[in-house]
Amino acid sequence: MRDPKPRSGGSGVSLTRADRARTVASVLRRQVMRGAFPGGVLPDERALIAEFDASRNTVREALGLLRDEGLVERRRGVGTVVTGRAYEHPLGELSGLAEVLQRHGVVVNEVREARVLRPPLTVARRLGLPEGGMAVYLERLRRVDGIPLSLDCTYLIPEVGEPLLARAGKTPRTLENHDVFDLIETATGMPLGSAEVSVHATVTDPATCAVLEMPAGGAILAVERLTRLADGRPADLEFLHLRGDRLTLHATLDRATRYTDPSGSSSS
Amino acid sequence: MRDPKPRSGGSGVSLTRADRARTVASVLRRQVMRGAFPGGVLPDERALIAEFDASRNTVREALGLLRDEGLVERRRGVGTVVTGRAYEHPLGELSGLAEVLQRHGVVVNEVREARVLRPPLTVARRLGLPEGGMAVYLERLRRVDGIPLSLDCTYLIPEVGEPLLARAGKTPRTLENHDVFDLIETATGMPLGSAEVSVHATVTDPATCAVLEMPAGGAILAVERLTRLADGRPADLEFLHLRGDRLTLHATLDRATRYTDPSGSSSS
């Protein structure tokens, strides 16, 4: 940090090799995640050095970062290859994961829990339930072509959750083969309106890594989604755990819509 | 996994304590991140046991998860307290981080690099630049009230980046005190149109943790944002590294807009 002043055409602080490697890794990470490399094979070291106008050590450090994230691996005689397929989930609309993923492979949901319970007070409040009121809890592990992508914990209001459980009791595999959004609309006949989504990144614990079959110490997108019926009433509150190494959220935003509500829309 | 079939009103697989702790932690994590606890102090163990209808060990395990994520800590004589303030960044519109954060504190950007360079080919392509064409590269560390929240690496097209550097050369602290979006619109007179945003979660390396002053091995939201001018031309491509323990992305979605473009809008 020899010179904190920016100079037009010149550099600000002295960037280290680690800084340069981070930028190279950021660009490569996006290419890996959107499947930009033909056959899943990255360009060789020489090509990357030319492409990024970087030193051999910087390129090696960048590839090391992606290896540590579990996105690529070195394969003898082949080079650096992408370890697994990644999927994009559009955030700019309200649709279930399966609705999006079913065009990429066979989506199966393993039902881990489906029962009536008394939700935590903060969940009850967000769902507009009376204090002490019951909810339906649904926990599912979602796989595409056998690979776990998401562990979803869902609290539903009784008017929505109970018809859904009843339907699942009559028609086996209902919960296995359908998105919650679809289930809500078909089981209850109530159309959905909007959802409020909060996204954050967190390192996950060994138990969650094991369930999601991801490398220990990996990161997840922890998503909270409050979905409302068309009439504005909350329908369900979900806590989604999406594998960071396999799922990207995608959105298109407009400049026209400026920030107008400093208080935010979430409460309690 | 004794019984993978869901039963109406009953449970599917046998959930372990780790499963229950994950759900408790998910609910608490959102409360921590949106500042729901008065004075930053969590309810005591007894209250949490009642609230979540959980065992003492489950509650302790959930609090341990949040401690491992760096979100809370135990303070003798006080209990479990939130370690730091978190901020929400609305994703549902195109606005810069400073535009959102400046109502929460003093935003200062440390300029780490600001210069003309030849961008990687994949960046040049996404910016619509000719092969071998130059771009302006800007790297800034963004702080709110002194706390680093985001490390932003930005490639701008020359028509946008060069006036911006020229302005920074004439008016000191231009880059320190303004969002790139504001800078683009004021320095070039060209209004912005829309942006495509991709979000993923990743564990970050020691060097990045050090720059962001976050705990080693923490998670970040790695965001790629391609911003277009009102006429549709790409203006800049950014790679943002947002601290997972301090920033949440927030969006409101409509069910009306269904997924219609299976190919996605991004290209190599």
Side-chain angles (χ1 to χ4, degrees):
Chain A
M1 297 231 228
R2 290 186 300 226
D3 178 5
K5 284 257 175 59
R7 282 165 301 180
S8 152
S11 61
V13 305
S14 281
L15 297 187
T16 63
R17 186 169 80 207
D19 289 317
R20 288 188 293 269
R22 178 191 310 113
T23 307
V24 172
S26 294
V27 174
L28 289 176
R29 185 186 299 114
R30 273 299 300 147
Q31 293 183 282
V32 167
M33 294 299 280
R34 71 166 177 265
F37 296 116
V41 181
L42 273 64
D44 65 20
E45 223 173 67
R46 184 187 299 264
L48 292 174
I49 289 168
E51 154 118 28
F52 287 94
D53 192 17
S55 72
R56 181 175 303 269
N57 284 336
T58 299
V59 164
R60 286 185 177 173
E61 192 165 327
L63 292 175
L65 294 176
L66 300 182
R67 272 203 306 276
D68 290 346
E69 294 171 25
L71 299 182
V72 303
E73 62 188 23
R74 282 192 64 80
R75 202 167 293 163
R76 186 181 280 273
V78 182
T80 299
V81 298
V82 177
T83 52
R85 177 159 175 196
Y87 300 86
E88 290 217 333
H89 188 310
L91 235 196
E93 81 235 44
L94 177 53
S95 53
L97 188 62
E99 289 179 49
V100 175
L101 294 180
Q102 63 204 2
R103 78 203 84 216
H104 300 299
V106 180
V107 179
V108 174
N109 307 303
E110 177 188 312
V111 179
R112 295 163 54 84
E113 181 102 300
R115 68 184 180 99
V116 175
L117 50 61
R118 196 176 314 279
L121 186 58
T122 177
V123 170
R125 281 195 186 133
R126 291 189 36 92
L127 285 175
L129 298 175
E131 192 165 329
M134 304 301 277
V136 170
Y137 179 73
L138 185 59
E139 184 169 323
R140 302 193 299 175
L141 178 65
R142 327 197 64 192
R143 295 174 190 269
V144 174
D145 290 339
I147 299 181
L149 291 186
S150 171
L151 177 61
D152 301 356
C153 305
T154 307
Y155 294 92
L156 302 111
I157 64 169
E159 299 92 301
V160 166
E162 282 170 4
L164 198 151
L165 286 184
R167 195 185 174 89
K170 272 182 275 178
T171 316
R173 318 213 73 74
T174 297
L175 295 174
E176 279 84 345
N177 296 330
H178 295 278
D179 262 344
V180 166
F181 291 159
D182 275 351
L183 288 173
I184 291 174
E185 291 184 330
T186 56
T188 70
M190 295 188 270
L192 294 173
S194 63
E196 291 155 33
V197 178
S198 295
V199 179
H200 50 105
T202 186
V203 175
T204 196
D205 60 291
T208 302
C209 286
V211 172
L212 287 168
E213 298 174 18
M214 59 192 279
I220 57 167
L221 286 165
V223 177
E224 185 206 58
R225 183 165 59 184
L226 177 72
T227 304
R228 295 177 187 279
L229 298 168
D231 65 12
R233 274 184 304 155
D236 71 345
L237 181 65
E238 296 176 280
F239 296 91
L240 316 178
H241 308 76
L242 312 180
R243 277 179 67 164
D245 59 341
R246 291 287 173 266
L247 269 176
T248 304
L249 299 173
H250 190 81
T252 300
L253 315 176
D254 278 318
R255 179 68 170 166
T257 328
R258 297 290 283 254
Y259 188 65
T260 50
D261 177 17
S263 71
S265 48
S266 53
S267 60
S268 129
Chain B
M1 298 233 232
R2 289 185 303 226
D3 178 4
K5 282 257 175 64
R7 283 165 300 180
S8 153
S11 62
V13 305
S14 283
L15 296 187
T16 64
R17 186 169 80 209
D19 289 318
R20 288 188 294 270
R22 179 191 310 114
T23 307
V24 173
S26 294
V27 175
L28 289 176
R29 185 186 298 115
R30 273 299 299 147
Q31 294 183 281
V32 167
M33 294 299 280
R34 70 165 178 263
F37 296 115
V41 181
L42 273 65
D44 66 19
E45 221 173 70
R46 183 186 300 265
L48 292 174
I49 289 167
E51 152 117 30
F52 288 95
D53 192 17
S55 72
R56 181 175 304 271
N57 283 336
T58 299
V59 164
R60 286 185 176 172
E61 191 165 327
L63 293 174
L65 295 176
L66 299 182
R67 273 203 306 277
D68 290 345
E69 295 171 24
L71 299 182
V72 304
E73 60 188 23
R74 282 192 63 80
R75 202 168 294 164
R76 186 181 279 274
V78 182
T80 299
V81 299
V82 177
T83 52
R85 175 157 177 201
Y87 300 86
E88 289 216 333
H89 188 309
L91 235 195
E93 79 234 43
L94 177 53
S95 52
L97 188 60
E99 288 179 48
V100 174
L101 294 179
Q102 63 204 2
R103 75 203 88 216
H104 299 300
V106 179
V107 180
V108 173
N109 307 303
E110 176 189 313
V111 179
R112 296 163 54 84
E113 181 102 299
R115 68 183 180 100
V116 176
L117 51 60
R118 196 177 312 280
L121 185 58
T122 177
V123 171
R125 280 196 186 132
R126 288 184 44 87
L127 286 175
L129 298 175
E131 191 164 330
M134 304 301 277
V136 169
Y137 179 73
L138 186 60
E139 184 169 324
R140 302 192 301 175
L141 179 64
R142 328 197 62 191
R143 296 174 188 268
V144 175
D145 290 340
I147 299 180
L149 291 185
S150 170
L151 177 62
D152 301 357
C153 305
T154 307
Y155 294 91
L156 302 111
I157 63 168
E159 299 92 302
V160 166
E162 283 170 2
L164 199 151
L165 286 185
R167 195 184 175 89
K170 272 182 275 180
T171 315
R173 316 211 74 74
T174 297
L175 296 174
E176 278 84 345
N177 296 330
H178 295 278
D179 263 344
V180 166
F181 290 161
D182 276 350
L183 288 173
I184 291 174
E185 291 183 331
T186 55
T188 69
M190 294 188 271
L192 294 173
S194 64
E196 291 154 33
V197 178
S198 295
V199 180
H200 49 105
T202 184
V203 175
T204 195
D205 59 292
T208 302
C209 286
V211 171
L212 287 167
E213 298 173 17
M214 60 191 279
I220 57 168
L221 287 164
V223 176
E224 184 205 58
R225 181 164 60 183
L226 178 70
T227 304
R228 295 177 187 278
L229 298 167
D231 64 11
R233 274 184 302 156
D236 71 344
L237 180 65
E238 296 176 280
F239 296 90
L240 315 178
H241 308 77
L242 313 180
R243 278 179 66 165
D245 60 341
R246 291 289 172 263
L247 269 176
T248 304
L249 300 173
H250 191 80
T252 300
L253 315 176
D254 277 318
R255 179 69 170 166
T257 328
R258 297 289 283 256
Y259 187 65
T260 50
D261 177 16
S263 70
S265 48
S266 54
S267 59
S268 120

